[in-house]
Amino acid sequence: MKQIYAIGIGLIGGSLAKDIKRHDSEVVVHGISRKDATLNEALSLNLIDKKATLDDISKADLVIVSIPVDATVKLLPTILDKIPETALVIDAGSTKEAICKAVENHPKRRNFLAMHPIAGTEFSGPSAAIDNLFVGKTNIICEVEKTAFKLQEKALKLFEAIGMRIRYMNPVAHDKHIAYVSHLSHISSFMLGKTVIEKEKNERDIFDMAGSGFASTVRLAKSSPEMWTPIFKQNKANVIETLEEYINNLIHFKTFMEQDDFEAVFNEMRETNHIKDILNGIN
Ligand code: NAP
């Protein structure tokens, strides 16, 4: 897989390009993006070797799509139209059902592998790309049986080289589960940040009093709205369901406080401490 075309070279596309280049010095990474400034930044950071356009993917061995999920749904059929018969296309989108559906009947469906690397930070754009982002992280692969066997093998070799663990899941289950462990965490972080900012108009005071607990809980509120709005839109039903359950828990907690039922408050927290055992080993 020597000619790699990275469509989107922000945090995920750029980090994938970095790791792949480090593991195989012979690959040439061609960057494709909407803005020329993004490509220039990616070139200067050495994430890509050359600039390219969508028409150039007719020469690709591998195409990596790491753009917002609504843009992926729109562009993926065209990408499959343009690639040669032997190329593999992978996408890193954080939702999977709409993306898989967009190409379910495409004549080159077998050239596509749907994945979601559970790795990231709150930063975006080429400058957010980092080495070894994927080491020890889980990569969820959806509908693997719909990808040509030889291309599955190529993809798995690549994921192994950059240190990822593989899990297989269907797109519907993926979107349902990820709403709890990723999408809800982002909304709760954004809304916690909003609540504090609205109350404490003087941001200096917030900064002076903020401990590491506050900083780690609102970390995700620094994430890109351009990337997250399409995710919430595509996963609307699941996200609303998780929000209802979360809001109910908040209301319960508030009611215990109002009723001076601090035994119930204690028990809520004691029961939730079990998260330590569940998360043990996850970094
Ligand atoms: P990012 O850092 O913001 O990079 C996005 C890239 O897509 C940029 O190169 C941007 O370039 C391009 N882009 C933005 N809007 C576009 C549009 N409408 N059409 C075409 N290109 C567009 O985002 P990211 O964090 O790498 O996320 C990329 C994908 O990975 C998303 O699908 C996301 O769901 C998924 N993902 C993210 C994380 C995470 O933690 N961030 C984790 C796993 C998976 P221009 O500025 O030139 O447009």
Side-chain angles (χ1 to χ4, degrees), residues 176-193:
K176 191 173 175 59
H177 297 312
I178 208 72
Y180 283 90
V181 290
S182 170
H183 304 176
L184 179 60
S185 323
H186 279 79
I187 296 171
S188 85
S189 185
F190 275 118
M191 290 306 104
L192 173 63

PDB file of all heavy atoms in Angstrom, residues 176-193:
ATOM      1  N   LYS A 176     -25.475   2.813  18.936  1.00  0.00           N
ATOM      2  CA  LYS A 176     -26.209   2.800  20.204  1.00  0.00           C
ATOM      3  C   LYS A 176     -25.233   2.888  21.385  1.00  0.00           C
ATOM      4  O   LYS A 176     -25.385   3.718  22.277  1.00  0.00           O
ATOM      5  CB  LYS A 176     -27.038   1.516  20.290  1.00  0.00           C
ATOM      6  CG  LYS A 176     -28.024   1.511  21.428  1.00  0.00           C
ATOM      7  CD  LYS A 176     -28.920   0.296  21.342  1.00  0.00           C
ATOM      8  CE  LYS A 176     -29.846   0.199  22.529  1.00  0.00           C
ATOM      9  NZ  LYS A 176     -30.718   1.350  22.706  1.00  0.00           N
ATOM     10  N   HIS A 177     -24.208   2.037  21.362  1.00  0.00           N
ATOM     11  CA  HIS A 177     -23.265   1.995  22.494  1.00  0.00           C
ATOM     12  C   HIS A 177     -22.394   3.251  22.570  1.00  0.00           C
ATOM     13  O   HIS A 177     -22.124   3.763  23.647  1.00  0.00           O
ATOM     14  CB  HIS A 177     -22.375   0.753  22.406  1.00  0.00           C
ATOM     15  CG  HIS A 177     -23.151  -0.519  22.509  1.00  0.00           C
ATOM     16  ND1 HIS A 177     -24.095  -0.727  23.488  1.00  0.00           N
ATOM     17  CD2 HIS A 177     -23.147  -1.643  21.752  1.00  0.00           C
ATOM     18  CE1 HIS A 177     -24.641  -1.922  23.334  1.00  0.00           C
ATOM     19  NE2 HIS A 177     -24.086  -2.502  22.284  1.00  0.00           N
ATOM     20  N   ILE A 178     -21.982   3.737  21.409  1.00  0.00           N
ATOM     21  CA  ILE A 178     -21.063   4.880  21.407  1.00  0.00           C
ATOM     22  C   ILE A 178     -21.777   6.151  21.899  1.00  0.00           C
ATOM     23  O   ILE A 178     -21.145   7.066  22.417  1.00  0.00           O
ATOM     24  CB  ILE A 178     -20.422   5.076  20.003  1.00  0.00           C
ATOM     25  CG1 ILE A 178     -19.040   5.727  20.116  1.00  0.00           C
ATOM     26  CG2 ILE A 178     -21.307   5.855  19.043  1.00  0.00           C
ATOM     27  CD1 ILE A 178     -17.969   4.876  20.648  1.00  0.00           C
ATOM     28  N   ALA A 179     -23.123   6.169  21.776  1.00  0.00           N
ATOM     29  CA  ALA A 179     -23.881   7.323  22.281  1.00  0.00           C
ATOM     30  C   ALA A 179     -23.652   7.474  23.785  1.00  0.00           C
ATOM     31  O   ALA A 179     -23.541   8.584  24.298  1.00  0.00           O
ATOM     32  CB  ALA A 179     -25.371   7.146  21.990  1.00  0.00           C
ATOM     33  N   TYR A 180     -23.550   6.341  24.507  1.00  0.00           N
ATOM     34  CA  TYR A 180     -23.355   6.390  25.962  1.00  0.00           C
ATOM     35  C   TYR A 180     -21.927   6.768  26.330  1.00  0.00           C
ATOM     36  O   TYR A 180     -21.701   7.652  27.138  1.00  0.00           O
ATOM     37  CB  TYR A 180     -23.692   5.031  26.601  1.00  0.00           C
ATOM     38  CG  TYR A 180     -25.178   4.809  26.719  1.00  0.00           C
ATOM     39  CD1 TYR A 180     -25.879   4.200  25.688  1.00  0.00           C
ATOM     40  CD2 TYR A 180     -25.873   5.240  27.837  1.00  0.00           C
ATOM     41  CE1 TYR A 180     -27.253   4.013  25.782  1.00  0.00           C
ATOM     42  CE2 TYR A 180     -27.247   5.063  27.939  1.00  0.00           C
ATOM     43  CZ  TYR A 180     -27.929   4.448  26.911  1.00  0.00           C
ATOM     44  OH  TYR A 180     -29.280   4.281  27.000  1.00  0.00           O
ATOM     45  N   VAL A 181     -20.955   6.082  25.718  1.00  0.00           N
ATOM     46  CA  VAL A 181     -19.586   6.240  26.216  1.00  0.00           C
ATOM     47  C   VAL A 181     -18.822   7.393  25.561  1.00  0.00           C
ATOM     48  O   VAL A 181     -17.755   7.755  26.024  1.00  0.00           O
ATOM     49  CB  VAL A 181     -18.766   4.935  26.079  1.00  0.00           C
ATOM     50  CG1 VAL A 181     -19.273   3.890  27.053  1.00  0.00           C
ATOM     51  CG2 VAL A 181     -18.770   4.408  24.656  1.00  0.00           C
ATOM     52  N   SER A 182     -19.366   7.953  24.501  1.00  0.00           N
ATOM     53  CA  SER A 182     -18.654   9.060  23.880  1.00  0.00           C
ATOM     54  C   SER A 182     -19.552  10.290  23.685  1.00  0.00           C
ATOM     55  O   SER A 182     -19.226  11.378  24.159  1.00  0.00           O
ATOM     56  CB  SER A 182     -18.075   8.614  22.530  1.00  0.00           C
ATOM     57  OG  SER A 182     -17.578   9.711  21.818  1.00  0.00           O
ATOM     58  N   HIS A 183     -20.686  10.101  23.039  1.00  0.00           N
ATOM     59  CA  HIS A 183     -21.487  11.275  22.679  1.00  0.00           C
ATOM     60  C   HIS A 183     -22.063  11.957  23.919  1.00  0.00           C
ATOM     61  O   HIS A 183     -22.007  13.178  24.044  1.00  0.00           O
ATOM     62  CB  HIS A 183     -22.580  10.878  21.681  1.00  0.00           C
ATOM     63  CG  HIS A 183     -22.023  10.205  20.452  1.00  0.00           C
ATOM     64  ND1 HIS A 183     -22.788   9.683  19.460  1.00  0.00           N
ATOM     65  CD2 HIS A 183     -20.735   9.968  20.076  1.00  0.00           C
ATOM     66  CE1 HIS A 183     -22.006   9.163  18.522  1.00  0.00           C
ATOM     67  NE2 HIS A 183     -20.760   9.311  18.882  1.00  0.00           N
ATOM     68  N   LEU A 184     -22.587  11.156  24.878  1.00  0.00           N
ATOM     69  CA  LEU A 184     -23.145  11.737  26.098  1.00  0.00           C
ATOM     70  C   LEU A 184     -22.045  12.438  26.924  1.00  0.00           C
ATOM     71  O   LEU A 184     -22.283  13.505  27.490  1.00  0.00           O
ATOM     72  CB  LEU A 184     -23.834  10.650  26.938  1.00  0.00           C
ATOM     73  CG  LEU A 184     -24.448  11.108  28.257  1.00  0.00           C
ATOM     74  CD1 LEU A 184     -25.529  12.166  28.030  1.00  0.00           C
ATOM     75  CD2 LEU A 184     -25.034   9.927  29.035  1.00  0.00           C
ATOM     76  N   SER A 185     -20.859  11.844  26.961  1.00  0.00           N
ATOM     77  CA  SER A 185     -19.755  12.476  27.720  1.00  0.00           C
ATOM     78  C   SER A 185     -19.443  13.855  27.146  1.00  0.00           C
ATOM     79  O   SER A 185     -19.159  14.794  27.889  1.00  0.00           O
ATOM     80  CB  SER A 185     -18.465  11.667  27.640  1.00  0.00           C
ATOM     81  OG  SER A 185     -18.713  10.313  27.658  1.00  0.00           O
ATOM     82  N   HIS A 186     -19.473  13.964  25.824  1.00  0.00           N
ATOM     83  CA  HIS A 186     -19.183  15.266  25.220  1.00  0.00           C
ATOM     84  C   HIS A 186     -20.280  16.275  25.547  1.00  0.00           C
ATOM     85  O   HIS A 186     -19.987  17.412  25.918  1.00  0.00           O
ATOM     86  CB  HIS A 186     -18.993  15.129  23.700  1.00  0.00           C
ATOM     87  CG  HIS A 186     -17.625  14.646  23.331  1.00  0.00           C
ATOM     88  ND1 HIS A 186     -17.255  13.324  23.411  1.00  0.00           N
ATOM     89  CD2 HIS A 186     -16.515  15.315  22.929  1.00  0.00           C
ATOM     90  CE1 HIS A 186     -15.988  13.196  23.058  1.00  0.00           C
ATOM     91  NE2 HIS A 186     -15.523  14.390  22.757  1.00  0.00           N
ATOM     92  N   ILE A 187     -21.547  15.850  25.465  1.00  0.00           N
ATOM     93  CA  ILE A 187     -22.642  16.793  25.763  1.00  0.00           C
ATOM     94  C   ILE A 187     -22.575  17.221  27.224  1.00  0.00           C
ATOM     95  O   ILE A 187     -22.711  18.403  27.553  1.00  0.00           O
ATOM     96  CB  ILE A 187     -24.018  16.159  25.450  1.00  0.00           C
ATOM     97  CG1 ILE A 187     -24.127  15.871  23.958  1.00  0.00           C
ATOM     98  CG2 ILE A 187     -25.152  17.094  25.894  1.00  0.00           C
ATOM     99  CD1 ILE A 187     -25.337  15.049  23.557  1.00  0.00           C
ATOM    100  N   SER A 188     -22.314  16.268  28.123  1.00  0.00           N
ATOM    101  CA  SER A 188     -22.302  16.641  29.541  1.00  0.00           C
ATOM    102  C   SER A 188     -21.128  17.582  29.824  1.00  0.00           C
ATOM    103  O   SER A 188     -21.254  18.517  30.613  1.00  0.00           O
ATOM    104  CB  SER A 188     -22.318  15.406  30.447  1.00  0.00           C
ATOM    105  OG  SER A 188     -21.057  14.907  30.655  1.00  0.00           O
ATOM    106  N   SER A 189     -20.017  17.395  29.131  1.00  0.00           N
ATOM    107  CA  SER A 189     -18.872  18.289  29.316  1.00  0.00           C
ATOM    108  C   SER A 189     -19.180  19.688  28.755  1.00  0.00           C
ATOM    109  O   SER A 189     -18.905  20.706  29.401  1.00  0.00           O
ATOM    110  CB  SER A 189     -17.646  17.677  28.618  1.00  0.00           C
ATOM    111  OG  SER A 189     -16.515  18.435  28.876  1.00  0.00           O
ATOM    112  N   PHE A 190     -19.767  19.725  27.551  1.00  0.00           N
ATOM    113  CA  PHE A 190     -20.139  21.024  26.961  1.00  0.00           C
ATOM    114  C   PHE A 190     -21.107  21.768  27.886  1.00  0.00           C
ATOM    115  O   PHE A 190     -20.955  22.962  28.145  1.00  0.00           O
ATOM    116  CB  PHE A 190     -20.828  20.828  25.599  1.00  0.00           C
ATOM    117  CG  PHE A 190     -19.865  20.694  24.431  1.00  0.00           C
ATOM    118  CD1 PHE A 190     -19.817  19.533  23.669  1.00  0.00           C
ATOM    119  CD2 PHE A 190     -19.019  21.741  24.084  1.00  0.00           C
ATOM    120  CE1 PHE A 190     -18.942  19.409  22.584  1.00  0.00           C
ATOM    121  CE2 PHE A 190     -18.144  21.628  22.997  1.00  0.00           C
ATOM    122  CZ  PHE A 190     -18.110  20.456  22.256  1.00  0.00           C
ATOM    123  N   MET A 191     -22.122  21.065  28.413  1.00  0.00           N
ATOM    124  CA  MET A 191     -23.151  21.742  29.219  1.00  0.00           C
ATOM    125  C   MET A 191     -22.639  22.112  30.613  1.00  0.00           C
ATOM    126  O   MET A 191     -23.070  23.099  31.195  1.00  0.00           O
ATOM    127  CB  MET A 191     -24.422  20.889  29.285  1.00  0.00           C
ATOM    128  CG  MET A 191     -25.169  20.819  27.961  1.00  0.00           C
ATOM    129  SD  MET A 191     -25.573  22.470  27.266  1.00  0.00           S
ATOM    130  CE  MET A 191     -24.381  22.644  25.953  1.00  0.00           C
ATOM    131  N   LEU A 192     -21.699  21.326  31.146  1.00  0.00           N
ATOM    132  CA  LEU A 192     -21.069  21.711  32.413  1.00  0.00           C
ATOM    133  C   LEU A 192     -20.264  22.998  32.195  1.00  0.00           C
ATOM    134  O   LEU A 192     -20.364  23.957  32.983  1.00  0.00           O
ATOM    135  CB  LEU A 192     -20.145  20.578  32.917  1.00  0.00           C
ATOM    136  CG  LEU A 192     -19.293  20.924  34.133  1.00  0.00           C
ATOM    137  CD1 LEU A 192     -20.159  21.233  35.352  1.00  0.00           C
ATOM    138  CD2 LEU A 192     -18.330  19.784  34.464  1.00  0.00           C
ATOM    139  N   GLY A 193     -19.494  23.022  31.099  1.00  0.00           N
ATOM    140  CA  GLY A 193     -18.721  24.229  30.775  1.00  0.00           C
ATOM    141  C   GLY A 193     -19.647  25.435  30.625  1.00  0.00           C
ATOM    142  O   GLY A 193     -19.399  26.501  31.192  1.00  0.00           O
TER     143      GLY A 193
END
